[in-house]
Amino acid sequence: MKKVALILLVGLAACGQDLKPRVDKLEKENALLKEMTAPLPSSLDNYFPPKAQGPVYLMEMFSLSNPFEGIGIDLQEKDLPGAKANFDAFRAQYLKMSVMVPEWKEKFPVGPVDSLGLAMGSGNPAMIGSAMGRIGRLCASCHVINQIRAQQKYSWPDFEALSLTDPITNQNISWHESMMRIANAFTAIGNDLGQGQIENVRTNFKSFSDRFISLSANCSGCHDTPRSYFVSQNVQGMVSDLGKAVAATPPDGKAIGQLLGAIGNESCMKCHLVHMPSATAKSFWKAYPGMIR
Ligand code: HEC
Ligand code: HEC
Ligand code: HEC
């Protein structure tokens, strides 16, 4: 009996030892996934409008990268005093940034910077190269997760902050609601054509066309200078051709199919490829953490 208990205990202890590295690895993976999906640390808000006058954090990043790149430039020019001055400026800016966002404190470890200082003191090019490379990877490891998200959060306006007027009902509607109405009418054209409901095809075309043409009035909600690309004369020409194909007796089914496809590709799809990532990220952050089940 005692022997069995002992074997069990030894077995359990061995299992426990096997599990420890796996648990550690899973915990690290979990922390990384959380960082990738959770909204950015809220204290970053202090360094961007509307809380700050301008994109302060971005400007501070440039003040970090300029002396860092300066070190490399000066070393190539064999300007050692210049490289040393750039190193001191870089180190000071690095330490300043390490406390700006408390949640990111550990992302600015001081060890690699001190190693670069030592390497520069030694004058050994290989040591300097590897110390700079290590810092470069440190910068990149934060950028790969956080830079695009910061751009989406602070540099992209929010589509949902815009208020649009529906040209048919004159209601004030959100961007999303406008998209849904355009998409419903757009899809209904093909659907009703397939069912031979010609009057519905024409009503839906009118609803689609009015709403789609009025969409271009809303680009100025974000763009200071005119933008036409996805709602250009070319695309509006396709919408007008679609109108002719729908009005024909009988409606020109082949042309309608081709034009629906072309409008979908040239306007809806291409505009979505540019504008949707930031809009989707913003709505995800609003819903977070309710989306975790
Ligand atoms: C300004 C460029 C732009 C154009 C042109 C555009 N869209 Fe959109 N659309 C967006 C953006 C941005 C979103 C995401 C924000 C939202 O859901 O309101 C969106 C969202 C949508 C959605 C909701 C998708 C979802 O998963 O919730 C549908 C449906 C849609 N668009 C259909 C269309 C159709 C159909 C067309 C072409 C006839 C079109 N859109 C043209 C920018 C555009
Ligand atoms: C803790 C995270 C973090 C670390 C570490 C970090 N950065 Fe950044 N960096 C950011 C974020 C976030 C942005 C995006 C800011 C924005 O676009 O508003 C950024 C943007 C930048 C930009 C602007 C790029 C552009 O063209 O828009 C430069 C340059 C830059 N960082 C340099 C560096 C250098 C050099 C280092 C390392 C010595 C570094 N960063 C370390 C978070 C970090
Ligand atoms: C909610 C804000 C918003 C709205 C509304 C919006 N855009 Fe944009 N769009 C942006 C941002 C931000 C960029 C990134 C580059 C920039 O700022 O110009 C961009 C980029 C673009 C680009 C590529 C780069 C450039 O600047 O030309 C085009 C083309 C464009 N948008 C067209 C349109 C058109 C056409 C509409 C209306 C149908 C529209 N956008 C509506 C925010 C918006």
Side-chain angles (χ1 to χ4, degrees):
M1 218 23 215
K2 260 187 192 163
K3 212 173 172 185
V4 174
L6 192 67
I7 290 170
L8 254 176
L9 261 179
V10 171
L12 269 177
C15 264
Q17 267 172 7
D18 276 356
L19 281 176
K20 176 97 175 65
R22 279 182 58 198
V23 169
D24 287 352
K25 188 162 172 267
L26 284 173
E27 272 174 1
K28 277 191 194 150
E29 269 179 21
N30 197 28
L32 180 65
L33 289 173
K34 249 192 195 156
E35 192 190 351
M36 288 167 71
T37 49
L40 286 163
S42 55
S43 47
L44 195 59
D45 292 353
N46 295 327
Y47 307 110
F48 287 97
K51 286 199 181 175
Q53 290 283 329
V56 174
Y57 200 79
L58 178 60
M59 294 302 139
E60 297 286 356
M61 277 291 160
F62 283 118
S63 305
L64 182 67
S65 75
N66 286 345
F68 185 59
E69 285 170 27
I71 300 172
I73 295 169
D74 286 336
L75 286 175
Q76 272 184 353
E77 295 167 355
K78 310 239 179 307
D79 171 8
L80 291 183
K84 174 78 175 69
N86 268 320
F87 173 75
D88 291 342
F90 168 69
R91 188 175 195 279
Q93 176 67 8
Y94 186 92
L95 293 180
K96 178 184 174 191
M97 293 206 77
S98 72
V99 290
M100 282 178 74
V101 178
E103 296 92 328
W104 281 349
K105 174 116 190 42
E106 74 217 35
K107 292 190 178 290
F108 291 91
V110 78
V113 178
D114 288 341
S115 302
L116 176 59
L118 284 175
M120 285 178 66
S122 80
N124 178 334
M127 253 176 91
I128 298 174
S130 98
M132 295 219 22
R134 194 171 151 207
I135 296 178
R137 285 192 296 280
L138 216 137
C139 315
S141 71
C142 183
H143 289 163
V144 76
I145 297 176
N146 295 302
Q147 186 178 10
I148 303 296
R149 301 191 314 139
Q151 291 173 349
Q152 291 177 330
K153 181 169 185 192
Y154 302 112
S155 290
W156 273 84
D158 191 352
F159 277 86
E160 291 316 304
L162 300 176
S163 174
L164 280 57
T165 309
D166 185 308
I168 297 175
T169 64
N170 275 325
Q171 289 167 297
N172 285 333
I173 53 171
S174 68
W175 185 278
H176 189 75
E177 181 57 28
S178 152
M179 281 292 127
M180 297 321 278
R181 291 182 187 187
I182 288 177
N184 280 341
F186 187 67
T187 312
I189 298 172
N191 180 70
D192 293 345
L193 185 69
Q195 295 169 341
Q197 297 166 358
I198 308 306
E199 271 326 297
N200 285 348
V201 171
R202 292 182 179 140
T203 316
N204 281 312
F205 168 74
K206 170 97 176 72
S207 155
F208 164 69
S209 171
D210 287 356
R211 291 188 164 118
F212 180 79
I213 301 296
S214 88
L215 190 65
S216 54
N218 299 295
C219 311
S220 61
C222 298
H223 293 287
D224 296 337
T225 49
R227 292 292 191 288
S228 62
Y229 212 72
F230 315 113
V231 288
S232 62
Q233 291 299 320
N234 174 35
V235 175
Q236 304 210 6
M238 291 194 259
V239 174
S240 137
D241 289 347
L242 179 62
K244 285 177 203 146
V246 160
T249 352
D252 183 348
K254 194 170 164 227
I256 294 174
Q258 279 170 352
L259 286 161
L260 287 174
I263 295 166
N265 282 331
E266 285 306 306
S267 179
C268 322
M269 175 75 175
K270 287 188 179 165
C271 199
H272 288 169
L273 285 174
V274 173
H275 294 91
M276 248 186 173
S278 67
T280 306
K282 281 180 202 292
S283 59
F284 173 71
W285 294 326
K286 274 182 213 154
Y288 191 93
M291 302 197 52
I292 301 172
R293 279 176 221 123

